[in-house]
Amino acid sequence: METIPPFSADPQARITEALRGALEALKLARREAEGGASDPARRRWTALGLVSALQAALVAALSGYDTAREEAVRDLAHPDRIAPVAMLLRRARSAEYLNRPERLELTGSRQRALERLMAVRNAAVHALRVETPETFADDAMAAADLIAHLVLEAPAFDAAAARLQTVLIADELKALRAALVQSPRD
């Protein structure tokens, strides 16, 4: 999800589209995680869905404050695109963009888990040989936890205005976590 067509200057529209994107990406991640129990190659698509959902959740969070600027979610090199996940994560960890409790606190181990998950996603997207690490289920859980924080536990946007989407996202996260628990460990 590198662009949200059309990229809206209106923060509420951006949040709505981002939450829709997160929900659809989580559906993909859950479906592929469920299938990954019998076909480990499907994990790459689980990673794709999770990274896309995380990017969308970050866009929603970074667009939530009344003072939020669309530059907070734009790619500096390509202003018509959403910033890459790594850039959005840096911004979501910064007091310049989010206050506590919405601001992300990312430990080193969680950062490495996200990097491994993004590497699996990137290999899948670019049709490279995909090696899923033995930590894949734990890495995916780390991403699910961050999505839950951004959308459900400490949303920076008006959650009441997006109640249906947040409930559906919560359901998808619950089903995804159950599928990941069932996922065979390498």
Side-chain angles (χ1 to χ4, degrees):
M1 186 184 105
E2 293 192 357
T3 61
I4 300 176
F7 189 89
S8 178
D10 174 40
Q12 190 56 50
R14 210 167 41 245
I15 292 165
T16 300
E17 287 302 313
L19 292 174
R20 280 188 197 135
L23 178 59
E24 291 305 314
L26 285 171
K27 287 178 183 179
L28 169 68
R30 185 237 336 126
R31 184 175 59 246
E32 296 303 317
E34 289 169 350
S38 60
D39 182 6
R42 292 177 70 176
R43 292 179 184 169
R44 61 187 168 180
W45 306 117
T46 303
L48 173 70
L50 272 168
V51 172
S52 295
L54 178 59
Q55 185 179 36
L58 286 161
V59 168
L62 291 166
S63 300
Y65 288 173
D66 288 339
T67 57
R69 303 176 322 271
E70 60 184 288
E71 291 80 22
V73 298
R74 287 196 185 272
D75 186 343
L76 300 175
H78 305 281
D80 60 324
R81 293 186 176 183
I82 299 294
V85 174
M87 176 68 71
L88 294 173
L89 281 169
R90 277 195 295 279
R91 291 174 182 166
R93 294 173 66 186
S94 168
E96 182 180 338
Y97 293 95
L98 294 175
N99 297 319
R100 285 196 172 104
E102 295 93 359
R103 186 175 349 146
L104 286 182
E105 301 292 332
L106 212 55
T107 63
S109 63
R110 188 169 276 184
Q111 177 72 36
R112 287 186 296 281
L114 292 176
E115 289 167 359
R116 288 189 296 268
L117 193 66
M118 287 188 282
V120 172
R121 176 254 181 219
N122 291 342
V125 167
H126 300 293
L128 303 173
R129 183 174 142 94
V130 177
E131 293 288 333
T132 55
E134 62 186 49
T135 59
F136 182 80
D138 294 330
D139 297 346
M141 288 283 202
D145 290 346
L146 287 178
I147 294 165
H149 173 81
L150 292 164
V151 175
L152 306 172
E153 297 162 8
F157 54 87
D158 179 11
R163 182 76 179 130
L164 178 59
Q165 288 176 311
T166 59
V167 168
L168 293 171
I169 287 170
D171 289 347
E172 285 298 328
L173 283 169
K174 182 178 178 183
L176 173 65
R177 286 179 171 132
L180 290 170
V181 168
Q182 300 301 318
S183 179
R185 303 289 193 228
D186 290 335

